[in-house]
Amino acid sequence: MSTTLEWNQPSSSQSEAEKPVLEVVDLHVTYYTDAGRAKALDSVSLTLNAGEKLGLVGESGAGKSTMALAMMNMIKPPGRIESGQVIVGGTDLTALTEEEMLKARLSKIAYIPQGAMNSLNPVTRIGAQMVDAIKAHESHLSKAEMKERSVQSLESVDLDGSVFNMYAHELSGGMKQRVCIAIGILLGPEVIVADEPTSALDVVTQRQVMETIDRVKNQLGAAVILIGHDMGLMAQFVDKVAVMYAGRLAELSSVQEMFTEPMHPYAQDLISSLPNLEKKGVFKGIPGLAPALLRLPSGCAFHPRCSRVMDICQTERPDLQIVNGRSVSCHLYPEEKS
């Protein structure tokens, strides 16, 4: 994707939505290890309306992929969803049985993985994998109807219907990624979670994949969560950006606000670290390393790396609060009184 930061314009469907299609409420995920408990997600809350696109960014280990897996109810031991809710279309996914959750995946919420080659069965034809997904939800359909829906889904992501009879190794990287998108939209989900869907693709193919996701989002009226590190891609694709750090939300703002006036010092450092054509050859990084989740510093987890650190930051952890209509967890901003 181009690194020119021309941010995406929010779609008109956002204002039309009366109720959020996705509500994540006080979500906690912990991994239990021999060395102790690692809080991968710590009191994460957010909402997303139908048609909205949210970008989830942060350094490796911030909790982005754990967030995606928790929303899909796919956290496996030694991990555990300790508490919280993931509500999609009025249904709390965390309260469902395993059988009920199997029905909810693909029909209510779909996951597009970052490693398409590792996600597709190499010894099974693409069509068989798609039919298998449909059969798990709508077994009453005939084989012809299942094939017809699968081919329509492939064609909706600009793939020829002949891909139905092909194996994964016969497809290019971009085609495999679009097959994963086609599988994800088979049952018209209300929420699509895309976990770094363009990480191993060239820039031309990246654009094609992102345009495909945007198009199917418009066709379905679904909400999309895009997880990644490419800030240029975020600027062009999403409506809102959520910055995560050490398992918590640092800031949640509109894409334009995030790229022009970020509030949290970590978000400010992320934006200032982007390459700038006006200052060629000058690179600005963020000092230090992200903390290990088993040994988080006291107070604000970012304070050892923060250039605006105060005494309170070292002892008291800031809560996520609303400031000028934006969400930020930082002691620099006093909490608004309701």
Side-chain angles (χ1 to χ4, degrees):
M1 298 292 290
S2 169
T3 55
T4 304
L5 300 183
E6 299 177 356
W7 46 81
N8 177 65
Q9 296 299 318
S11 59
S12 59
S13 59
Q14 288 175 222
S15 58
E16 298 170 3
E18 297 180 357
K19 187 177 181 181
V21 68
L22 170 68
E23 297 176 82
V24 178
V25 184
D26 198 26
L27 191 60
H28 293 254
V29 174
T30 301
Y31 287 92
Y32 289 84
T33 71
D34 293 338
R37 296 172 55 190
K39 292 185 177 181
L41 291 182
D42 190 358
S43 190
V44 176
S45 298
L46 57 85
T47 61
L48 202 57
N49 294 331
E52 274 190 320
K53 297 169 290 185
L54 171 71
L56 202 58
V57 302
E59 293 169 280
S60 296
K64 305 184 301 298
S65 292
T66 296
M67 179 78 167
L69 293 175
M71 286 189 289
M72 297 295 297
N73 210 345
M74 292 172 60
I75 299 293
K76 303 298 181 184
R80 181 191 302 170
I81 298 178
E82 302 280 19
S83 61
Q85 296 175 294
V86 179
I87 303 171
V88 177
T91 301
D92 182 5
L93 302 185
T94 61
L96 300 182
T97 64
E98 182 58 33
E99 184 176 349
E100 290 171 334
M101 190 62 215
L102 285 174
K103 295 293 185 181
R105 296 187 188 113
L106 287 186
S107 62
K108 282 189 168 294
I109 184 169
Y111 179 70
I112 300 173
Q114 58 178 302
M117 190 64 220
N118 298 329
S119 303
L120 297 172
N121 190 326
V123 297
T124 304
R125 296 183 190 274
I126 298 300
Q129 298 178 59
M130 301 182 76
V131 167
D132 186 56
I134 299 173
K135 191 181 298 182
H137 293 79
E138 300 181 10
S139 56
H140 63 278
L141 295 179
S142 67
K143 289 184 178 180
E145 289 173 322
M146 292 183 186
K147 180 177 180 179
E148 181 181 6
R149 179 179 295 188
S150 298
V151 170
Q152 287 176 347
S153 186
L154 289 170
E155 292 175 344
S156 73
V157 296
D158 291 337
L159 289 174
D160 191 89
S162 61
V163 171
F164 182 87
N165 295 313
M166 299 173 74
Y167 291 94
H169 70 268
E170 299 180 271
L171 308 176
S172 67
M175 292 174 73
K176 284 194 284 280
Q177 194 63 68
R178 277 182 279 174
V179 165
C180 287
I181 297 172
I183 294 174
I185 65 173
L186 270 174
L187 301 175
E190 298 175 70
V191 177
I192 300 172
V193 182
D195 191 356
E196 299 190 45
T198 63
S199 59
L201 306 176
D202 63 82
V203 292
V204 174
T205 308
Q206 282 182 19
R207 179 176 292 278
Q208 292 173 346
V209 168
M210 294 313 302
E211 288 175 347
T212 299
I213 293 176
D214 200 33
R215 186 172 62 255
V216 299
K217 183 272 297 181
N218 292 331
Q219 292 171 354
L220 297 174
V224 173
I225 294 181
L226 174 65
I227 298 172
H229 299 276
D230 189 335
M231 298 299 283
L233 183 149
M234 295 293 175
Q236 297 175 57
F237 181 72
V238 303
D239 303 314
K240 300 191 295 187
V241 179
V243 176
M244 293 194 68
Y245 189 80
R248 305 189 76 229
L249 277 182
E251 182 178 344
L252 175 58
S253 298
S254 72
V255 64
Q256 182 170 348
E257 291 169 333
M258 183 64 73
F259 280 89
T260 57
E261 295 181 275
M263 297 180 70
H264 195 283
Y266 177 57
Q268 294 170 0
D269 287 348
L270 277 181
I271 299 302
S272 64
S273 68
L274 297 174
N276 191 326
L277 291 177
E278 296 177 358
K279 298 179 180 179
K280 294 182 180 180
V282 178
F283 297 97
K284 181 181 178 182
I286 303 175
L289 298 172
L293 295 179
L294 288 169
R295 297 180 297 277
L296 289 176
S298 60
C300 175
F302 186 61
H303 88 255
R305 308 171 68 188
C306 184
S307 60
R308 304 176 68 182
V309 63
M310 302 178 291
D311 289 341
I312 191 175
C313 304
Q314 303 177 42
T315 57
E316 187 175 325
R317 190 179 73 173
D319 294 323
L320 190 70
Q321 58 191 17
I322 304 299
V323 179
N324 297 327
R326 302 161 64 181
S327 300
V328 62
S329 56
C330 183
H331 291 299
L332 289 170
Y333 306 97
E335 184 174 3
E336 292 184 355
K337 304 298 182 182
S338 57

